[in-house]
Amino acid sequence: MAVLEIRLLGDPVLRERAAHVDAVDDEVRRLAGDMFDTMYEADGVGLAAPQVGIARRLIVVDSRDPDVEPMAVINPRVVTSSSETDRAEEGCLSIPGIREVVERPGRAVIEGLDLEGRPIRVEAKGLLARIFQHEIDHIDGILFIDRISPLKRRFALRRWDKVKPVTDHVPPDATKGGL
Ligand code: NI
């Protein structure tokens, strides 16, 4: 297990459409373990493989709800989502220091594979639904700032220019509470 470097906005890997995972093998399980370590180290609630520089369709999620197990999902996809939406503030471990209100479907059904290659289906609402949608966006190269108004995005990017870390490495304190 290892804590990996989190890629930041501006890194092209965050804008790639990540590749389908064809085989759920030990390499994938090791990557998922490292992603959990990286997410917990950064005090995040979700992480997608492109955020650690791997353009493959794998996410880890822990909404910190005692009734919901932490999950790694391979090739996750939203199969249905509600027409009713929720608005809530989001951050992202790849854009530390920036938070914006994002409107998303309030409920979503997610399907994919677990780390044994078995099909799983999650009926998510609230924070869990938001995390899944945010992380699945990541594997399609979409960031939460793409889901706010152009005006708000312009201001957010201007703020990011001022607060973004100057090195490739994320200062630990700047990453708290992201996805
Ligand atoms: Ni994110």
Side-chain angles (χ1 to χ4, degrees), residues 46-48 51 90-95 134-135 138 142-144 178-179:
L47 191 70
Q51 293 183 274
E90 286 185 29
C92 180
L93 295 176
S94 293
I95 320 175
H134 178 115
E135 303 311 332
H138 269 302
I142 297 166
L143 301 172
F144 82 95
L179 290 83

Side-chain angles (χ1 to χ4, degrees), residues 3 17 21 31 33-34 83 94-95 123 128 130 132-133 136:
V3 172
R17 186 177 160 81
V21 175
L31 173 59
D34 290 347
S83 51
S94 293
I95 320 175
E123 293 180 19
L128 188 64
R130 179 168 297 276
F132 268 114
Q133 292 173 82
I136 291 171

Side-chain angles (χ1 to χ4, degrees), residues 1-154:
M1 301 289 215
V3 172
L4 307 173
E5 183 188 334
I6 295 176
R7 303 301 182 91
L8 299 178
L9 178 63
D11 190 315
V13 72
L14 294 174
R15 291 310 197 171
E16 279 183 46
R17 186 177 160 81
H20 188 266
V21 175
D22 293 326
V24 182
D25 54 17
D26 285 346
E27 187 200 341
V28 170
R29 284 186 277 273
R30 192 163 50 241
L31 173 59
D34 290 347
M35 286 170 58
F36 274 117
D37 287 352
T38 305
M39 176 181 77
Y40 290 129
E41 171 73 15
D43 203 19
V45 292
L47 191 70
Q51 293 183 274
V52 293
I54 310 286
R56 302 182 76 188
R57 303 182 82 79
L58 166 62
I59 63 171
V60 295
V61 171
D62 184 351
S63 61
R64 313 304 170 98
D65 176 340
D67 296 328
V68 182
E69 292 282 308
M71 279 174 274
V73 187
I74 294 148
N75 301 327
R77 62 192 191 282
V78 175
V79 290
T80 57
S81 58
S82 61
S83 51
E84 120 277 350
T85 57
D86 281 345
R87 293 167 59 81
E89 203 172 69
E90 286 185 29
C92 180
L93 295 176
S94 293
I95 320 175
I98 303 297
R99 298 186 69 82
E100 292 289 341
V101 172
V102 181
E103 183 169 16
R104 295 186 186 269
R107 291 168 178 266
V109 177
I110 289 89
E111 290 183 352
L113 301 175
D114 70 9
L115 290 177
E116 304 303 321
R118 296 175 297 221
I120 51 173
R121 176 184 171 90
V122 182
E123 293 180 19
K125 60 180 181 179
L127 177 62
L128 188 64
R130 179 168 297 276
I131 299 169
F132 268 114
Q133 292 173 82
H134 178 115
E135 303 311 332
I136 291 171
D137 271 353
H138 269 302
I139 59 177
D140 287 328
I142 297 166
L143 301 172
F144 82 95
I145 53 169
D146 303 333
R147 298 204 178 276
I148 60 179
S149 74
L151 183 65
K152 284 186 173 169
R153 186 179 318 125
R154 203 154 66 233

